[in-house]
Amino acid sequence: MAPTTETLTAERILEATEEVLRRHGPAKATVVDVARALGVSHGSVYRHFRTKAALREAVTKRWLDRTSGELSGIVATEGDPEARLRDWLSALFAAKRRKAGDDPELFATYMVLTGEAGTAVGEHITDLTAQLARIIEAGVESGCFAGTTDVEKAARAVFDATSRFHDPRYAREWEEPGIEADFAAVLDLVVRGLRP
């Protein structure tokens, strides 16, 4: 193992872990493999992530946060809440499809990792529904959407109603003919259901 001159950071470890997972898969990837890819001892990796489970949770969170980050820009924009809701749901579907289609090996790995015990997936869903709630709340305030006393509940209902287009369990369907038309139909139904 050649010594590295670059400072070892959590971000570098996560990048290397992602590459190791892509190459070896979750069943065979080890902390030693990550350390070897970085040119450091496995103890150096453990100084940043106390356990293999903590490292796997962090790399899963990083992967999920990329989607949340993409979508937060839509939430932050001003303008028509209905258009923002449509854009947000479309961007979520596109992001999930891209992850599944562009890097199927890593997507399969993350399917395993997200199924493991941990908080990353729950936190991701909480973040996404909170983003939806902000859009719905803006729609209620502007009169674009019907008044509701519980925007969080409405956001969760929208999230659940569109799950076929973002829940990784449906990934095989995302490339089927007609999926865009199915998505458009569900999106129209959801938006009509929110109008006053």
Side-chain angles (χ1 to χ4, degrees), residues 61 64-65 67-69 71-72 75 88 92 96 118-136 151-157 159-160 166:
K61 182 179 180 343
L64 294 170
D65 285 351
T67 301
S68 296
L71 298 170
S72 66
V75 176
W88 191 93
L92 177 61
K96 297 293 181 157
T119 61
V121 174
E123 289 169 359
H124 178 65
I125 291 170
T126 297
D127 181 45
L128 294 180
T129 55
Q131 289 185 24
L132 272 172
R134 287 194 296 276
I135 294 171
I136 292 169
V151 293
E152 288 82 16
K153 188 174 182 180
R156 185 59 197 225
F159 189 78
D160 290 345
H166 56 77

Side-chain angles (χ1 to χ4, degrees), residues 20-89:
V20 167
L21 285 166
R22 183 180 286 115
R23 228 177 311 134
H24 300 292
K28 295 182 181 177
T30 67
V31 174
V32 171
D33 293 327
V34 173
R36 190 175 299 122
L38 290 164
V40 300
S41 71
H42 66 280
S44 297
V45 174
Y46 281 124
R47 278 193 277 286
H48 288 271
F49 300 96
R50 293 181 48 129
T51 64
K52 179 180 178 180
L55 177 58
R56 289 163 72 104
E57 178 81 2
V59 80
T60 301
K61 182 179 180 343
R62 178 177 183 257
W63 185 68
L64 294 170
D65 285 351
R66 287 183 194 136
T67 301
S68 296
E70 285 179 44
L71 298 170
S72 66
I74 296 168
V75 176
T77 61
E78 295 294 322
D80 177 35
E82 182 177 316
R84 287 169 45 209
L85 179 64
R86 287 177 179 278
D87 290 348
W88 191 93
L89 288 167

Side-chain angles (χ1 to χ4, degrees), residues 48 53-54 78 85 109 135 140 164-165 175 186:
H48 288 271
E78 295 294 322
L85 179 64
T109 293
I135 294 171
V140 170
R164 178 177 176 216
F165 307 101
E175 296 307 318
V186 169

